[in-house]
Amino acid sequence: MACTKSSDKSGFRQAAPPIAEKKEHVRTLHGDTVLDNYYWMYDFFGKGPDSTLVIEYLNAENAYVDSVMANTTALQNSLFEEMKGRIKDKDESVPTFRNGYYYYTRTEEGKQYHKYCRKKETLEAPEEILLDVDKMAEGYAYYAVGGVFISDDNKLMAYSVDEVSRRQYTIFIKNLETGEIYKETIPNTQGGAVWAADNKTIFYTSKNPVTLLGEKIKKHVLGTDPAADVTVYEEKDKTNYIGVGKTKDRKYIFVISQSTMSSETFYIESSQPNATFKSFQPRMEDVLYDIIPLEDRFLILTNMDAQNFRVMECPLDKTGVENWKEYIPHRADILIESVDGFKDFIVIEERKEGLIQLRIRHLTDGKEYYIDFGEPTYLAYTSGNPEYNTDVVRYNYTSMTTPYSIYDYNMNTQEKKLMKEQEIVGGYNKEEYKTERLYATAKDGTKVPISIVYKKTTARTAKTPLLLYGYGSYGNSMDATFSSGRLSLLDRGFIYALAHIRGGQEMGRQWYEDGKLQKKINTFTDFIACGEYLIAENYTGKGHLYAEGGSAGGLLMGAVVNMEPELWHGIIADVPFVDVINTMLDEDIPLTTNEFGEWGNPKEEEAYFYMKRYDPYENVEKKNYPNMLVTTGLHDSQVQYFEPAKWVAKLRDMKTDNNVLLLKTNMEFGHGGASGRFDYLHDVALAYTFLLTLEGISK
């Protein structure tokens, strides 16, 4: 694609930025005193005296974004239409067979949302529309269906809806025979609903309305008042997440409680909804376990005496740890991520040298093999396998050059069938692009993988623009996947790189352990090393290296601009977690207590002073910073709006450069952005326009 270059930053208009008011607030802890002039921004959701001032400030920042970006409107609109144009307007998912029905979603031309549908027994049967979300969403700025849950007799459906974007879902119940939606609704839930075998009892997770944490598992019986629902499990440990689910064989209902480093599962038989949930194995310090039910035994995936996890087995009636026997041993070079159980097979999802492997094992004779994928960097994972009694496993496959593909794989014959490949409207030729796997050397000598993609016609020079993306937290691995929207950058001469830094789990469990708590700074120095390596290897040069990260990846952005501000020409920090100490001190903020195992508890002196070394907000100094675009959502439940707002206000006050600093607040949405399948592209178009304008690319 042809592009037009002009002088650096020429597309931005000059405008006077808003200056946030200062109100002195002093925090003293562990003998350390900190002045926080923007602490007052916490006030909005408390409806206190500064609420109006907060909204005025956020609106002023949005107006400033519009003013600075005014000359780029045509490019933003062009990018939006270009990216939207690659998405198939009228589309349909691959049907998934479950309990006698094929389930699928489909979209219609020009519509933002999906229709949830099913057909009985064969794909030639008449279509039954379960939910028409386009109609349901009319009149809402945000509308998200959290899930659809069908009773075992296929006659009733529970579904959940979030109308605000704070991940507080209301559960509704629909009679699929009559079309009636029952009057009884269950508010303030986590979004999931589990039917017992009696087809009238539902289990769900109830949230604390202040912290938004799931604290109770409740039981609802159709025809009764949800306000009187019985609590069947209450989590007393505020560092644990809880949830409820049903096993693939539909025999058991599980309640799972898990913190960063330990877990416990409680269970009943689905046919006995009034039974008392019993512990599979009481929680053990630093031990995680997941249960996979088979017909004759339970398998247990656990890190007990096995850092990269191993698989144990136990009888159905003797589940305590004293009855666990090793089934698949631990290996130092391979992380076992999950096990999917079928009647005659199990599928083991493993990670070796940063890449996913799917290992098939026959339960009768123990024979096993791997599925071959044949690319240097990719993502593969099992998906949409609700049926237990089948010899076909469905998996998804993608790479940086391969659009998302869905395969059905026969575990007996080892034959695979491509069910669908993501269609890129307007055409896409993967042969025009190149993907590589590189390794940077971190500060301590560790080799850090980088996945990279670019158009083959793009020259590797010191003037080539490159966007480096990173996350590096919670053990969440950032895998090399395809993005049709990203083509708009690649086709304009950008290189895109993904840094597999510590704090993720790409290289095994130790990779995660070495990037959290008192080792968190490794995450940031790894990312910096990746940027320096890409410059040294002539993939880009100073003045053309950009970085992006969101949420905990936004913390990464905040840390690296404090540590090495001159390395980056531009930064995009999406919904960034940047006010670490203040957030982790406030246990009323959603997620705080659950995060102690990841970041530490600053009420403890050692944790406090380690956090203070990297906390982005507290380490802002009087110095030059790169060009920055920061985004947030007013209703964000994961990272509250005030973190990026405070950070930007302090940066404006302290920075000594004339570089662009923008704060864009979505006043209607939360952490995940817009709910429609096209609307989010406006945010992507803004981010890409920011980068392209810094490069002087105007078309």
Side-chain angles (χ1 to χ4, degrees):
M1 176 178 293
C3 64
T4 302
K5 280 206 172 190
S6 57
S7 60
D8 189 45
K9 292 192 282 185
S10 63
F12 295 120
R13 283 182 55 185
Q14 294 294 319
I19 303 300
E21 187 174 335
K22 293 181 180 180
K23 296 187 178 187
E24 185 174 301
H25 174 88
V26 175
R27 183 192 74 219
T28 300
L29 187 63
H30 308 302
D32 182 53
T33 298
V34 175
L35 173 65
D36 186 350
N37 288 321
Y38 306 104
Y39 191 84
W40 60 269
M41 291 189 185
Y42 278 70
D43 201 41
F44 173 69
F45 285 112
K47 308 295 183 185
D50 289 318
S51 299
T52 300
L53 190 60
V54 168
I55 296 300
E56 288 176 353
Y57 171 66
L58 296 178
N59 283 331
E61 287 284 3
N62 281 346
Y64 178 65
V65 172
D66 293 341
S67 179
V68 171
M69 301 291 287
N71 292 340
T72 70
T73 302
L75 178 56
Q76 289 185 57
N77 292 337
S78 176
L79 285 166
F80 173 80
E81 293 298 334
E82 183 180 301
M83 292 185 289
K84 180 176 180 288
R86 295 193 190 102
I87 299 173
K88 190 175 182 181
D89 214 0
K90 188 175 182 179
D91 203 1
E92 187 173 303
S93 68
V94 178
T96 297
F97 189 77
R98 180 189 180 275
N99 194 25
Y101 282 81
Y102 283 96
Y103 291 88
Y104 58 98
T105 61
R106 61 178 178 85
T107 56
E108 293 184 345
E109 190 171 345
K111 301 288 187 179
Q112 287 271 21
Y113 295 93
H114 293 80
K115 289 175 172 55
Y116 289 80
C117 309
R118 71 177 183 179
K119 293 181 178 181
K120 188 174 183 179
E121 295 178 354
T122 74
L123 292 174
E124 287 69 45
E127 178 182 80
E128 180 182 353
I129 297 178
L130 305 178
L131 293 177
D132 185 342
V133 186
D134 286 303
K135 287 184 179 179
M136 296 161 64
E138 289 177 0
Y140 291 93
Y142 181 92
Y143 197 91
V145 173
V148 169
F149 313 95
I150 309 295
S151 60
D152 286 359
D153 64 3
N154 294 311
K155 296 179 180 179
L156 297 168
M157 174 180 70
Y159 65 96
S160 59
V161 172
D162 175 9
E163 300 170 357
V164 179
S165 187
R166 279 188 64 81
R167 303 189 184 185
Q168 290 175 285
Y169 292 89
T170 298
I171 295 174
F172 299 85
I173 300 158
K174 182 177 181 179
N175 186 313
L176 296 178
E177 293 185 313
T178 66
E180 177 190 3
I181 297 176
Y182 295 164
K183 292 182 179 179
E184 58 202 86
T185 60
I186 308 172
N188 196 39
T189 79
Q190 206 154 274
V194 175
W195 290 93
D198 65 358
N199 302 300
K200 67 177 183 179
T201 304
I202 295 172
F203 295 90
Y204 63 93
T205 307
S206 177
K207 284 193 166 189
N208 180 306
V210 176
T211 66
L212 303 186
L213 296 177
E215 290 184 339
K216 298 175 181 178
I217 305 297
K218 291 189 173 183
K219 177 173 65 176
H220 177 73
V221 179
L222 295 188
T224 66
D225 183 0
D229 286 353
V230 174
T231 297
V232 298
Y233 177 78
E234 181 173 3
E235 181 55 62
K236 302 295 186 182
D237 187 341
K238 291 185 178 181
T239 65
N240 280 39
Y241 290 101
I242 63 170
V244 60
K246 194 172 185 179
T247 58
K248 181 184 291 192
D249 60 7
R250 301 197 291 276
K251 186 175 180 181
Y252 301 100
I253 294 172
F254 284 171
V255 169
I256 299 171
S257 175
Q258 182 170 322
S259 67
T260 305
M261 289 304 297
S262 70
S263 64
E264 183 173 7
T265 296
F266 304 83
Y267 70 109
I268 61 171
E269 292 193 16
S270 179
S271 60
Q272 303 294 323
N274 295 320
T276 300
F277 281 84
K278 57 183 178 181
S279 176
F280 188 91
Q281 161 59 40
R283 62 195 70 178
M284 300 173 279
E285 186 176 359
D286 295 333
V287 173
L288 298 165
Y289 69 87
D290 290 324
I291 303 162
I292 304 95
L294 301 178
E295 284 191 333
D296 58 346
R297 59 194 146 147
F298 289 114
L299 298 183
I300 307 104
L301 175 62
T302 180
N303 67 339
M304 184 178 69
D305 301 322
Q307 185 179 51
N308 275 339
F309 290 78
R310 57 177 170 163
V311 181
M312 313 292 280
E313 61 181 348
C314 72
L316 294 174
D317 59 347
K318 296 178 180 178
T319 63
V321 68
E322 67 276 6
N323 301 296
W324 295 6
K325 295 181 179 178
E326 189 168 81
Y327 181 64
I328 298 177
H330 171 265
R331 286 172 291 177
D333 62 333
I334 292 180
L335 171 69
I336 303 178
E337 293 206 334
S338 68
V339 177
D340 200 353
F342 298 84
K343 184 176 183 295
D344 296 320
F345 298 88
I346 58 171
V347 180
I348 306 119
E349 193 170 295
E350 304 173 341
R351 189 177 290 274
K352 182 179 182 181
E353 296 178 354
L355 297 176
I356 292 292
Q357 302 179 147
L358 296 181
R359 177 181 173 194
I360 313 295
R361 174 180 282 202
H362 201 293
L363 291 172
T364 303
D365 57 19
K367 290 182 179 178
E368 58 183 31
Y369 55 88
Y370 288 92
I371 299 175
D372 179 49
F373 301 117
E375 283 193 88
T377 182
Y378 61 87
L379 172 63
Y381 55 95
T382 61
S383 173
N385 291 287
E387 280 293 290
Y388 180 71
N389 190 11
T390 179
D391 58 3
V392 174
V393 60
R394 177 166 293 172
Y395 69 88
N396 286 28
Y397 179 85
T398 180
S399 74
M400 284 183 153
T401 58
T402 305
Y404 281 87
S405 305
I406 300 174
Y407 289 90
D408 277 357
Y409 186 88
N410 189 301
M411 293 180 282
N412 271 316
T413 65
Q414 301 184 30
E415 295 175 333
K416 67 179 178 181
K417 180 180 180 182
L418 177 64
M419 303 301 292
K420 183 177 183 177
E421 181 174 284
Q422 175 188 0
E423 181 180 336
I424 310 303
V425 178
Y428 164 72
N429 181 4
K430 67 178 293 183
E431 299 305 319
E432 294 179 0
Y433 302 85
K434 183 176 182 180
T435 182
E436 299 177 33
R437 185 80 154 183
L438 310 172
Y439 290 88
T441 302
K443 191 175 182 180
D444 61 1
T446 301
K447 296 294 184 182
V448 181
I450 306 171
S451 296
I452 195 165
V453 63
Y454 54 94
K455 201 162 189 179
K456 290 179 178 177
T457 54
T458 298
R460 283 172 45 188
T461 73
K463 293 185 178 181
T464 302
L466 185 149
L467 176 60
L468 180 64
Y469 188 91
Y471 187 74
S473 291
Y474 304 110
N476 290 342
S477 298
M478 295 290 104
D479 290 295
T481 60
F482 184 79
S483 165
S484 64
R486 190 194 299 144
L487 296 175
S488 292
L489 277 186
L490 303 185
D491 289 350
R492 288 171 171 82
F494 264 75
I495 294 175
Y496 179 87
L498 179 59
H500 303 286
I501 50 183
R502 283 175 286 186
Q505 206 162 245
E506 287 92 332
M507 304 300 284
R509 188 70 177 180
Q510 189 64 50
W511 205 249
Y512 170 46
E513 300 289 342
D514 286 344
K516 71 183 184 77
L517 294 173
Q518 304 301 101
K519 297 182 179 180
K520 187 63 206 172
I521 290 174
N522 284 337
T523 302
F524 316 134
T525 53
D526 282 3
F527 192 80
I528 290 168
C530 290
E532 291 172 338
Y533 171 85
L534 291 166
I535 290 174
E537 294 298 311
N538 212 39
Y539 283 88
T540 188
K542 281 198 174 182
H544 300 280
L545 176 61
Y546 302 89
E548 181 179 10
S551 195
L555 163 64
L556 170 67
M557 297 299 102
V560 301
V561 295
N562 283 330
M563 296 167 72
E564 292 289 345
E566 301 296 330
L567 185 61
W568 324 97
H569 189 223
I571 293 284
I572 300 174
D574 297 312
V575 293
F577 173 43
V578 284
D579 194 12
V580 181
I581 292 177
N582 285 322
T583 291
M584 296 306 296
L585 283 170
D586 189 346
E587 296 186 12
D588 286 336
I589 292 177
L591 307 186
T592 290
T593 55
N594 292 122
E595 306 290 299
F596 287 154
E598 182 73 21
W599 315 105
N601 184 348
K603 292 175 183 176
E604 299 170 0
E605 185 172 351
E606 183 182 13
Y608 173 85
F609 283 106
Y610 188 82
M611 283 182 190
K612 198 158 189 274
R613 291 171 57 191
Y614 67 79
D615 184 309
Y617 179 69
E618 306 221 349
N619 284 284
V620 173
E621 299 174 323
K622 282 192 175 295
K623 62 185 178 185
N624 289 350
Y625 281 89
N627 300 285
M628 297 173 67
L629 169 63
V630 182
T631 70
T632 187
L634 183 63
H635 299 288
D636 196 328
S637 61
Q638 310 302 107
V639 178
Q640 309 290 302
Y641 72 90
F642 40 73
E643 293 199 42
K646 289 177 62 186
W647 184 46
V648 168
K650 189 173 182 181
L651 281 166
R652 284 209 194 288
D653 182 52
M654 301 288 284
K655 74 191 193 82
T656 55
D657 58 83
N658 292 316
N659 288 328
V660 178
L661 174 60
L662 303 175
L663 172 64
K664 176 67 175 178
T665 303
N666 194 309
M667 304 301 282
E668 295 178 325
F669 306 142
H671 200 65
S675 53
R677 63 190 180 114
F678 302 128
D679 282 346
Y680 79 97
L681 290 173
H682 288 292
D683 294 329
V684 179
L686 176 67
Y688 284 3
T689 298
F690 176 75
L691 297 174
L692 293 167
T693 303
L694 288 171
E695 280 296 307
I697 299 172
S698 58
K699 291 184 180 179

